[in-house]
Amino acid sequence: MSDFFKGIDKVKYEGPESTNPLAFRYYNPDEVVLGKPLKDHLRFAIAYWHSFAWEGGDPFGGRTFGRPWFEDGMDAARLKADVAFDLFSLLGAPYFCFHDADVRPEGEIYAKSVKRLNKIADLFEEKMAETGVKLLWGTANLFSNRRFMAGASTNPDPDVFAYSAATIKANMDVTKRLGGENYVLWGGREGYETLLNTRMGQEMDQMGRMLSMVVDYKHKIGFEGTILIEPKPQEPTKHQYDYDVGTVYGFLKKYGLENDVKVNIEVGHAILAGHTFEHEVALAAAHGIFGSIDMNRNDMQSGWDTDQFPNNVPEVAMAYYHILKAGGFTTGGTNFDAKLRRQSIDPEDLLYGHIGGMDTCARGLKAAAAIIEDGSYDQFLEDRYAGWKGAEAQAMLKGERSLEDIAARVEKDDINPEPRSGRQEYLENLINRFV
Ligand code: XUL
Ligand code: CO
């Protein structure tokens, strides 16, 4: 244990009446909901980048956080790992997630970066064995270094494509070695700033090729985790190819990867794409590509990705409802892709952020479970679509009827549909009983 969190004890569940700011009021990891402990439903993960690598800068000013590991070099990286595992343990978070660039200093050449990554992975192996904390997913940072400014797999320079492929390979190797349950690809620079200098079709083919190689390599090394794409419409590039779940699904279909790749859906990215978070979750479930979530919230007044900790129960409850209806997480989980505000400079702020986020998610999940247990919402949907159970409706759906067949029946039976209320306000009130 490092002394960064000196004086702070392991966070415990104390119940809704507790006034202790360093206790959980709703997240009781062992509480059984719908037959499963909360910790196994939620599968919380802490993101290394926001909590340990981010320095508190904004476009108008630099670092605000004072952290003893904010220097270059492997000693600093080791100290950062010590503190990271301290936080995971204090919070009782079962998982963590990282990019290569979060955990090791970059080397002057590729081989050196990989060597350093593997050194830190050795340390992670020890710490994971000691603490029982597991890896939800690993990923490569293919967006911060200036070599990636025009894209990673979508770069006009094939050497950048090659460098990216090599970097992904190294990160998949490390993720497999650490027993990671997923491998994530977020294409921060996979898009363009101006069409004037961009061949979109060619760039998409490059991206399709890279993803196909990732899937081949996964099978080759026997990585049992899930490959996940994380959609986002823009930021940093103006147009990103992985815009949203629907766009990613079309991309996967085009390159024949829809059975090998799923999605990691982030709250703030859904909002940026003009959707609700639950829309993205429900659509992924409908396509059979739901994988995992990056939990956070956006500031509704700003048009960018603010990555704040979630604190709005209704906002997360319906997302967990759709996750539960889809059968819950398998290899996925709830990763806090959330960072402190830049004035929150103290070690305990890292705990407040995560405690609030974990409590919000626990309340959301419990509300979702209560909606399911109550059953009246599900019954409403059942009734609304009940007509489709009829023999003729099934025949239409199964392709056993042509347009002419249907037209003949409509004419013969004098079919004249009577509109029925969609009951939106009734449903909003119904859901409000639980959230
Ligand atoms: C960026 C973002 C990333 C991914 C991993 O908006 O969400 O942190 O989650 O690369
Ligand atoms: Co994310």
mmCIF file of all heavy atoms in Angstrom, residues 47 49-50 98-99 102 137 139-143 184-188 230-232 234-236 240 264 266 269 272 294 296 305 307 335 337, ligand 1:
data_model
loop_
_atom_site.group_PDB
_atom_site.id
_atom_site.type_symbol
_atom_site.label_atom_id
_atom_site.label_comp_id
_atom_site.label_asym_id
_atom_site.label_seq_id
_atom_site.Cartn_x
_atom_site.Cartn_y
_atom_site.Cartn_z
ATOM 1 N N ALA A 47 -11.189 3.141 -14.702
ATOM 2 C CA ALA A 47 -10.380 3.488 -15.881
ATOM 3 C C ALA A 47 -9.078 4.152 -15.444
ATOM 4 O O ALA A 47 -9.099 5.186 -14.778
ATOM 5 C CB ALA A 47 -11.167 4.430 -16.790
ATOM 6 N N TRP A 49 -6.883 5.686 -17.231
ATOM 7 C CA TRP A 49 -6.511 6.963 -17.860
ATOM 8 C C TRP A 49 -7.048 8.171 -17.121
ATOM 9 O O TRP A 49 -6.296 9.125 -16.862
ATOM 10 C CB TRP A 49 -6.907 6.994 -19.341
ATOM 11 C CG TRP A 49 -8.318 6.631 -19.697
ATOM 12 C CD1 TRP A 49 -9.322 7.486 -20.014
ATOM 13 C CD2 TRP A 49 -8.872 5.313 -19.786
ATOM 14 N NE1 TRP A 49 -10.468 6.790 -20.290
ATOM 15 C CE2 TRP A 49 -10.226 5.466 -20.171
ATOM 16 C CE3 TRP A 49 -8.367 4.026 -19.584
ATOM 17 C CZ2 TRP A 49 -11.078 4.373 -20.349
ATOM 18 C CZ3 TRP A 49 -9.217 2.944 -19.760
ATOM 19 C CH2 TRP A 49 -10.538 3.120 -20.135
ATOM 20 N N HIS A 50 -8.327 8.148 -16.760
ATOM 21 C CA HIS A 50 -8.896 9.341 -16.130
ATOM 22 C C HIS A 50 -8.395 9.528 -14.714
ATOM 23 O O HIS A 50 -8.165 10.646 -14.277
ATOM 24 C CB HIS A 50 -10.424 9.239 -16.088
ATOM 25 C CG HIS A 50 -11.068 9.497 -17.408
ATOM 26 N ND1 HIS A 50 -10.685 10.535 -18.226
ATOM 27 C CD2 HIS A 50 -12.086 8.868 -18.044
ATOM 28 C CE1 HIS A 50 -11.436 10.524 -19.311
ATOM 29 N NE2 HIS A 50 -12.284 9.516 -19.233
ATOM 30 N N PHE A 98 -7.239 -0.331 -19.048
ATOM 31 C CA PHE A 98 -6.137 0.599 -19.354
ATOM 32 C C PHE A 98 -5.792 0.631 -20.832
ATOM 33 O O PHE A 98 -6.102 -0.306 -21.577
ATOM 34 C CB PHE A 98 -4.876 0.229 -18.549
ATOM 35 C CG PHE A 98 -4.233 -1.068 -18.962
ATOM 36 C CD1 PHE A 98 -3.258 -1.102 -19.963
ATOM 37 C CD2 PHE A 98 -4.585 -2.272 -18.359
ATOM 38 C CE1 PHE A 98 -2.664 -2.303 -20.352
ATOM 39 C CE2 PHE A 98 -3.995 -3.476 -18.740
ATOM 40 C CZ PHE A 98 -3.033 -3.490 -19.742
ATOM 41 N N HIS A 99 -5.164 1.735 -21.257
ATOM 42 C CA HIS A 99 -4.473 1.825 -22.543
ATOM 43 C C HIS A 99 -2.987 1.672 -22.244
ATOM 44 O O HIS A 99 -2.519 2.112 -21.176
ATOM 45 C CB HIS A 99 -4.572 3.202 -23.199
ATOM 46 C CG HIS A 99 -5.946 3.772 -23.408
ATOM 47 N ND1 HIS A 99 -6.661 4.388 -22.414
ATOM 48 C CD2 HIS A 99 -6.684 3.888 -24.538
ATOM 49 C CE1 HIS A 99 -7.810 4.840 -22.924
ATOM 50 N NE2 HIS A 99 -7.849 4.552 -24.197
ATOM 51 N N ASP A 102 -1.355 4.741 -20.813
ATOM 52 C CA ASP A 102 -1.677 5.158 -19.442
ATOM 53 C C ASP A 102 -0.691 4.569 -18.443
ATOM 54 O O ASP A 102 -0.519 5.111 -17.351
ATOM 55 C CB ASP A 102 -3.063 4.640 -19.000
ATOM 56 C CG ASP A 102 -4.159 4.936 -19.984
ATOM 57 O OD1 ASP A 102 -4.077 5.974 -20.664
ATOM 58 O OD2 ASP A 102 -5.097 4.112 -20.078
ATOM 59 N N TRP A 137 -10.869 -4.880 -19.565
ATOM 60 C CA TRP A 137 -10.349 -4.805 -20.927
ATOM 61 C C TRP A 137 -9.066 -4.003 -21.026
ATOM 62 O O TRP A 137 -8.782 -3.136 -20.214
ATOM 63 C CB TRP A 137 -11.374 -4.297 -21.923
ATOM 64 C CG TRP A 137 -12.217 -3.081 -21.665
ATOM 65 C CD1 TRP A 137 -13.498 -3.084 -21.162
ATOM 66 C CD2 TRP A 137 -11.925 -1.693 -21.954
ATOM 67 N NE1 TRP A 137 -13.996 -1.799 -21.130
ATOM 68 C CE2 TRP A 137 -13.059 -0.933 -21.615
ATOM 69 C CE3 TRP A 137 -10.805 -1.028 -22.473
ATOM 70 C CZ2 TRP A 137 -13.119 0.459 -21.761
ATOM 71 C CZ3 TRP A 137 -10.863 0.363 -22.618
ATOM 72 C CH2 TRP A 137 -12.011 1.077 -22.270
ATOM 73 N N THR A 139 -6.550 -1.945 -24.076
ATOM 74 C CA THR A 139 -6.682 -1.272 -25.359
ATOM 75 C C THR A 139 -5.396 -0.521 -25.676
ATOM 76 O O THR A 139 -4.564 -0.313 -24.796
ATOM 77 C CB THR A 139 -7.893 -0.311 -25.370
ATOM 78 O OG1 THR A 139 -8.088 0.201 -26.696
ATOM 79 C CG2 THR A 139 -7.728 0.857 -24.423
ATOM 80 N N ALA A 140 -5.244 -0.135 -26.942
ATOM 81 C CA ALA A 140 -4.065 0.631 -27.357
ATOM 82 C C ALA A 140 -4.470 2.083 -27.556
ATOM 83 O O ALA A 140 -5.527 2.363 -28.114
ATOM 84 C CB ALA A 140 -3.528 0.064 -28.668
ATOM 85 N N ASN A 141 -3.636 2.978 -27.103
ATOM 86 C CA ASN A 141 -3.876 4.396 -27.372
ATOM 87 C C ASN A 141 -3.293 4.705 -28.745
ATOM 88 O O ASN A 141 -2.077 4.845 -28.896
ATOM 89 C CB ASN A 141 -3.233 5.247 -26.274
ATOM 90 C CG ASN A 141 -3.406 6.743 -26.540
ATOM 91 O OD1 ASN A 141 -3.413 7.175 -27.701
ATOM 92 N ND2 ASN A 141 -3.522 7.532 -25.494
ATOM 93 N N LEU A 142 -4.158 4.807 -29.745
ATOM 94 C CA LEU A 142 -3.723 5.096 -31.114
ATOM 95 C C LEU A 142 -4.241 6.470 -31.523
ATOM 96 O O LEU A 142 -4.712 6.664 -32.643
ATOM 97 C CB LEU A 142 -4.249 4.016 -32.073
ATOM 98 C CG LEU A 142 -3.830 2.577 -31.757
ATOM 99 C CD1 LEU A 142 -4.484 1.594 -32.730
ATOM 100 C CD2 LEU A 142 -2.316 2.407 -31.799
ATOM 101 N N PHE A 143 -4.189 7.414 -30.561
ATOM 102 C CA PHE A 143 -4.727 8.746 -30.872
ATOM 103 C C PHE A 143 -3.940 9.904 -30.265
ATOM 104 O O PHE A 143 -4.040 11.018 -30.730
ATOM 105 C CB PHE A 143 -6.199 8.848 -30.443
ATOM 106 C CG PHE A 143 -6.497 8.244 -29.078
ATOM 107 C CD1 PHE A 143 -6.385 9.005 -27.929
ATOM 108 C CD2 PHE A 143 -6.875 6.909 -28.966
ATOM 109 C CE1 PHE A 143 -6.646 8.454 -26.676
ATOM 110 C CE2 PHE A 143 -7.141 6.343 -27.719
ATOM 111 C CZ PHE A 143 -7.022 7.122 -26.571
ATOM 112 N N VAL A 184 -10.704 -3.687 -26.378
ATOM 113 C CA VAL A 184 -11.488 -2.574 -26.933
ATOM 114 C C VAL A 184 -10.732 -1.830 -28.022
ATOM 115 O O VAL A 184 -9.513 -1.626 -27.940
ATOM 116 C CB VAL A 184 -11.898 -1.596 -25.797
ATOM 117 C CG1 VAL A 184 -12.398 -0.259 -26.351
ATOM 118 C CG2 VAL A 184 -12.998 -2.217 -24.932
ATOM 119 N N LEU A 185 -11.474 -1.415 -29.052
ATOM 120 C CA LEU A 185 -10.921 -0.526 -30.078
ATOM 121 C C LEU A 185 -11.803 0.715 -30.145
ATOM 122 O O LEU A 185 -12.977 0.620 -30.533
ATOM 123 C CB LEU A 185 -10.913 -1.219 -31.447
ATOM 124 C CG LEU A 185 -10.037 -2.466 -31.516
ATOM 125 C CD1 LEU A 185 -10.818 -3.624 -32.088
ATOM 126 C CD2 LEU A 185 -8.792 -2.209 -32.326
ATOM 127 N N TRP A 186 -11.240 1.820 -29.717
ATOM 128 C CA TRP A 186 -11.955 3.089 -29.872
ATOM 129 C C TRP A 186 -11.167 3.911 -30.897
ATOM 130 O O TRP A 186 -9.985 4.194 -30.697
ATOM 131 C CB TRP A 186 -12.052 3.857 -28.547
ATOM 132 C CG TRP A 186 -12.540 5.258 -28.781
ATOM 133 C CD1 TRP A 186 -13.747 5.610 -29.314
ATOM 134 C CD2 TRP A 186 -11.825 6.479 -28.571
ATOM 135 N NE1 TRP A 186 -13.824 6.987 -29.442
ATOM 136 C CE2 TRP A 186 -12.664 7.536 -28.990
ATOM 137 C CE3 TRP A 186 -10.566 6.783 -28.056
ATOM 138 C CZ2 TRP A 186 -12.285 8.874 -28.924
ATOM 139 C CZ3 TRP A 186 -10.176 8.115 -27.990
ATOM 140 C CH2 TRP A 186 -11.039 9.150 -28.419
ATOM 141 N N GLY A 187 -11.814 4.278 -31.990
ATOM 142 C CA GLY A 187 -11.105 4.942 -33.084
ATOM 143 C C GLY A 187 -11.147 6.449 -32.978
ATOM 144 O O GLY A 187 -11.783 7.129 -33.782
ATOM 145 N N GLY A 188 -10.424 6.966 -32.011
ATOM 146 C CA GLY A 188 -10.437 8.419 -31.778
ATOM 147 C C GLY A 188 -10.031 9.246 -32.987
ATOM 148 O O GLY A 188 -10.551 10.335 -33.211
ATOM 149 N N GLU A 230 -15.855 0.762 -29.748
ATOM 150 C CA GLU A 230 -16.546 1.788 -28.957
ATOM 151 C C GLU A 230 -16.973 2.931 -29.869
ATOM 152 O O GLU A 230 -16.144 3.704 -30.337
ATOM 153 C CB GLU A 230 -15.605 2.291 -27.854
ATOM 154 C CG GLU A 230 -16.290 3.260 -26.915
ATOM 155 C CD GLU A 230 -15.402 3.647 -25.733
ATOM 156 O OE1 GLU A 230 -14.663 2.786 -25.210
ATOM 157 O OE2 GLU A 230 -15.456 4.825 -25.343
ATOM 158 N N PRO A 231 -18.272 3.057 -30.156
ATOM 159 C CA PRO A 231 -18.713 4.119 -31.068
ATOM 160 C C PRO A 231 -18.616 5.511 -30.439
ATOM 161 O O PRO A 231 -18.780 5.675 -29.230
ATOM 162 C CB PRO A 231 -20.195 3.786 -31.324
ATOM 163 C CG PRO A 231 -20.467 2.471 -30.692
ATOM 164 C CD PRO A 231 -19.409 2.243 -29.668
ATOM 165 N N LYS A 232 -18.354 6.488 -31.285
ATOM 166 C CA LYS A 232 -18.378 7.908 -30.883
ATOM 167 C C LYS A 232 -18.494 8.725 -32.169
ATOM 168 O O LYS A 232 -17.811 8.422 -33.139
ATOM 169 C CB LYS A 232 -17.091 8.265 -30.120
ATOM 170 C CG LYS A 232 -17.115 9.667 -29.512
ATOM 171 C CD LYS A 232 -15.866 9.935 -28.666
ATOM 172 C CE LYS A 232 -15.933 11.298 -28.022
ATOM 173 N NZ LYS A 232 -14.734 11.626 -27.227
ATOM 174 N N GLN A 234 -17.948 12.092 -32.899
ATOM 175 C CA GLN A 234 -16.907 13.088 -33.195
ATOM 176 C C GLN A 234 -16.110 13.322 -31.922
ATOM 177 O O GLN A 234 -16.457 12.795 -30.884
ATOM 178 C CB GLN A 234 -17.499 14.419 -33.687
ATOM 179 C CG GLN A 234 -18.095 15.306 -32.617
ATOM 180 C CD GLN A 234 -19.597 15.178 -32.477
ATOM 181 O OE1 GLN A 234 -20.260 14.640 -33.321
ATOM 182 N NE2 GLN A 234 -20.138 15.657 -31.371
ATOM 183 N N GLU A 235 -15.038 14.131 -32.050
ATOM 184 C CA GLU A 235 -14.153 14.457 -30.936
ATOM 185 C C GLU A 235 -13.262 13.271 -30.590
ATOM 186 O O GLU A 235 -13.729 12.362 -29.946
ATOM 187 C CB GLU A 235 -14.943 14.914 -29.689
ATOM 188 C CG GLU A 235 -14.087 15.651 -28.706
ATOM 189 C CD GLU A 235 -14.601 15.605 -27.272
ATOM 190 O OE1 GLU A 235 -15.683 15.111 -26.998
ATOM 191 O OE2 GLU A 235 -13.841 16.044 -26.424
ATOM 192 N N PRO A 236 -12.016 13.258 -30.977
ATOM 193 C CA PRO A 236 -11.292 14.408 -31.522
ATOM 194 C C PRO A 236 -11.530 14.734 -33.001
ATOM 195 O O PRO A 236 -11.423 15.914 -33.352
ATOM 196 C CB PRO A 236 -9.819 14.048 -31.296
ATOM 197 C CG PRO A 236 -9.789 12.560 -31.290
ATOM 198 C CD PRO A 236 -11.099 12.142 -30.678
ATOM 199 N N GLN A 240 -16.296 10.931 -37.180
ATOM 200 C CA GLN A 240 -15.698 9.637 -36.860
ATOM 201 C C GLN A 240 -16.486 8.518 -37.535
ATOM 202 O O GLN A 240 -17.714 8.560 -37.578
ATOM 203 C CB GLN A 240 -15.583 9.460 -35.345
ATOM 204 C CG GLN A 240 -14.229 9.985 -34.875
ATOM 205 C CD GLN A 240 -14.080 10.238 -33.390
ATOM 206 O OE1 GLN A 240 -13.556 11.281 -33.006
ATOM 207 N NE2 GLN A 240 -14.491 9.296 -32.576
ATOM 208 N N ASN A 264 -18.838 -1.528 -27.169
ATOM 209 C CA ASN A 264 -18.711 -0.950 -25.838
ATOM 210 C C ASN A 264 -19.366 0.425 -25.932
ATOM 211 O O ASN A 264 -18.869 1.303 -26.632
ATOM 212 C CB ASN A 264 -17.236 -0.823 -25.462
ATOM 213 C CG ASN A 264 -17.052 -0.224 -24.078
ATOM 214 O OD1 ASN A 264 -17.801 -0.538 -23.152
ATOM 215 N ND2 ASN A 264 -16.059 0.651 -23.929
ATOM 216 N N GLU A 266 -20.728 4.025 -24.641
ATOM 217 C CA GLU A 266 -20.470 5.036 -23.609
ATOM 218 C C GLU A 266 -21.622 6.045 -23.561
ATOM 219 O O GLU A 266 -22.098 6.515 -24.594
ATOM 220 C CB GLU A 266 -19.146 5.740 -23.918
ATOM 221 C CG GLU A 266 -18.816 6.821 -22.905
ATOM 222 C CD GLU A 266 -17.351 7.245 -22.954
ATOM 223 O OE1 GLU A 266 -16.486 6.403 -23.251
ATOM 224 O OE2 GLU A 266 -17.097 8.426 -22.683
ATOM 225 N N HIS A 269 -20.977 9.397 -25.325
ATOM 226 C CA HIS A 269 -20.872 9.247 -26.781
ATOM 227 C C HIS A 269 -22.268 9.121 -27.401
ATOM 228 O O HIS A 269 -22.524 9.640 -28.485
ATOM 229 C CB HIS A 269 -20.046 8.016 -27.143
ATOM 230 C CG HIS A 269 -18.624 8.068 -26.663
ATOM 231 N ND1 HIS A 269 -17.712 7.075 -26.931
ATOM 232 C CD2 HIS A 269 -17.949 8.986 -25.941
ATOM 233 C CE1 HIS A 269 -16.542 7.375 -26.387
ATOM 234 N NE2 HIS A 269 -16.662 8.539 -25.772
ATOM 235 N N LEU A 272 -23.700 12.566 -27.581
ATOM 236 C CA LEU A 272 -23.078 13.336 -28.665
ATOM 237 C C LEU A 272 -23.649 12.924 -30.025
ATOM 238 O O LEU A 272 -23.706 13.732 -30.951
ATOM 239 C CB LEU A 272 -21.561 13.123 -28.685
ATOM 240 C CG LEU A 272 -20.726 13.844 -27.617
ATOM 241 C CD1 LEU A 272 -19.247 13.529 -27.829
ATOM 242 C CD2 LEU A 272 -20.941 15.345 -27.662
ATOM 243 N N ASP A 294 -19.308 1.998 -21.075
ATOM 244 C CA ASP A 294 -18.485 3.010 -20.432
ATOM 245 C C ASP A 294 -19.451 3.981 -19.777
ATOM 246 O O ASP A 294 -20.221 4.674 -20.453
ATOM 247 C CB ASP A 294 -17.590 3.738 -21.460
ATOM 248 C CG ASP A 294 -16.230 3.057 -21.604
ATOM 249 O OD1 ASP A 294 -16.067 1.948 -21.060
ATOM 250 O OD2 ASP A 294 -15.334 3.643 -22.248
ATOM 251 N N ASN A 296 -20.645 7.165 -17.659
ATOM 252 C CA ASN A 296 -20.315 8.543 -17.284
ATOM 253 C C ASN A 296 -21.539 9.401 -17.543
ATOM 254 O O ASN A 296 -22.630 8.886 -17.720
ATOM 255 C CB ASN A 296 -19.078 9.060 -18.044
ATOM 256 C CG ASN A 296 -19.200 8.970 -19.553
ATOM 257 O OD1 ASN A 296 -20.292 8.977 -20.100
ATOM 258 N ND2 ASN A 296 -18.081 8.875 -20.229
ATOM 259 N N ASP A 305 -17.582 15.932 -24.875
ATOM 260 C CA ASP A 305 -17.585 14.755 -24.023
ATOM 261 C C ASP A 305 -16.991 15.142 -22.671
ATOM 262 O O ASP A 305 -15.777 15.229 -22.542
ATOM 263 C CB ASP A 305 -16.684 13.737 -24.747
ATOM 264 C CG ASP A 305 -16.760 12.358 -24.183
ATOM 265 O OD1 ASP A 305 -17.661 12.107 -23.367
ATOM 266 O OD2 ASP A 305 -15.916 11.531 -24.570
ATOM 267 N N ASP A 307 -17.270 13.569 -19.732
ATOM 268 C CA ASP A 307 -16.812 12.429 -18.916
ATOM 269 C C ASP A 307 -16.976 12.646 -17.413
ATOM 270 O O ASP A 307 -16.056 12.384 -16.635
ATOM 271 C CB ASP A 307 -15.332 12.108 -19.223
ATOM 272 C CG ASP A 307 -15.145 11.417 -20.568
ATOM 273 O OD1 ASP A 307 -16.096 10.797 -21.069
ATOM 274 O OD2 ASP A 307 -14.017 11.496 -21.113
ATOM 275 N N ASN A 335 -17.653 0.139 -16.878
ATOM 276 C CA ASN A 335 -16.364 0.816 -16.704
ATOM 277 C C ASN A 335 -16.596 2.302 -16.505
ATOM 278 O O ASN A 335 -17.241 2.946 -17.338
ATOM 279 C CB ASN A 335 -15.503 0.582 -17.955
ATOM 280 C CG ASN A 335 -14.241 1.441 -17.940
ATOM 281 O OD1 ASN A 335 -13.547 1.519 -16.928
ATOM 282 N ND2 ASN A 335 -13.954 2.104 -19.050
ATOM 283 N N ASP A 337 -15.715 5.413 -17.295
ATOM 284 C CA ASP A 337 -14.909 6.278 -18.161
ATOM 285 C C ASP A 337 -15.250 7.709 -17.745
ATOM 286 O O ASP A 337 -15.888 8.462 -18.473
ATOM 287 C CB ASP A 337 -15.243 6.013 -19.636
ATOM 288 C CG ASP A 337 -14.141 6.534 -20.550
ATOM 289 O OD1 ASP A 337 -13.309 7.310 -20.061
ATOM 290 O OD2 ASP A 337 -14.125 6.169 -21.742
HETATM 291 C C1 XUL B 1 -12.753 8.533 -25.434
HETATM 292 C C2 XUL B 1 -13.010 7.241 -24.789
HETATM 293 C C3 XUL B 1 -11.845 6.342 -24.611
HETATM 294 C C4 XUL B 1 -12.161 4.901 -24.799
HETATM 295 C C5 XUL B 1 -10.953 4.002 -24.782
HETATM 296 O O1 XUL B 1 -13.851 9.352 -25.557
HETATM 297 O O2 XUL B 1 -14.106 6.975 -24.368
HETATM 298 O O3 XUL B 1 -11.320 6.567 -23.368
HETATM 299 O O4 XUL B 1 -13.037 4.462 -23.824
HETATM 300 O O5 XUL B 1 -10.012 4.330 -25.697
#
